[in-house]
């Protein structure tokens, strides 16, 4: 029974994707020119060497942002089930927050949060 249900779901998914692609292809506007065949790049064409170095601060700032963004996702899922977890869940999340606060303090002390 479950196998037939799985097959029906997979066939339905494939049919819906094929139908959506077919409708999009049928009603989309068509324009053929030489620029559409070129590689896409943002901005104007470069002159000279296009490789340049970026400051590592940009990457570090982005990594810190992602770290605290992921923290928010974990905190939200923890908040949904906090009553079921009891004291163990509270201690676990406090340990998680302690590690993140120590990481933030380390980054702050090293000057990673200063935009120069």
């Amino acid at each position: 029974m479950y196998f037939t249900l799985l097959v029906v779901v997979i066939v339905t998914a494939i049919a819906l994707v094929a139908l959506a692609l077919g409708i999009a292809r049928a009603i989309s506007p068509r324009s053929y020119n030489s620029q559409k065949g070129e590689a896409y790049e943002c901005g104007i064409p470069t002159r000279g060497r296009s490789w340049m170095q970026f400051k590592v601060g940009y990457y570090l700032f982005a990594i810190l942002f992602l770290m605290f963004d992921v923290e928010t996702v974990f905190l939200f899922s923890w908040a949904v089930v906090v009553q079921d977890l009891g004291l163990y869940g509270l201690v676990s999340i406090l340990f998680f927050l302690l590690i993140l606060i120590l990481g933030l303090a380390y980054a702050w002390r090293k000057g990673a949060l200063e935009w120069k």
Side-chain angles (χ1 to χ4, degrees):
M1 179 174 153
Y2 290 115
F3 180 72
T4 57
L5 182 62
L6 180 66
V7 170
V8 168
V9 168
I10 291 174
V11 169
T12 305
I14 291 172
L16 287 175
V17 169
L19 180 69
L21 288 174
I23 290 173
R25 185 176 178 105
I27 65 173
S28 66
R30 290 176 180 77
S31 171
Y32 302 105
N33 58 31
S34 61
Q35 284 183 339
K36 288 199 172 203
E38 295 179 9
Y40 178 75
E41 290 258 354
C42 293
I44 60 174
T46 59
R47 295 182 200 161
R49 292 174 39 118
S50 60
W51 291 97
M52 56 189 279
Q53 292 182 350
F54 289 99
K55 293 174 71 174
V56 75
Y58 297 128
Y59 298 113
L60 190 57
F61 207 77
I63 288 172
L64 287 172
F65 171 76
L66 287 175
M67 180 178 76
F68 289 105
D69 195 38
V70 169
E71 171 204 2
T72 305
V73 170
F74 283 136
L75 283 177
F76 180 76
S77 60
W78 171 80
V80 170
V81 294
V82 68
Q83 290 182 340
D84 299 334
L85 296 177
L87 183 63
Y88 177 74
L90 180 65
V91 171
S92 298
I93 203 66
L94 287 176
F95 183 69
F96 177 70
L97 287 174
L98 176 71
I99 291 172
L100 283 173
I101 289 170
L102 289 175
L104 177 63
Y106 178 78
W108 197 341
R109 185 173 177 138
K110 289 292 185 178
L113 301 178
E114 295 176 11
W115 196 262
K116 295 178 186 177

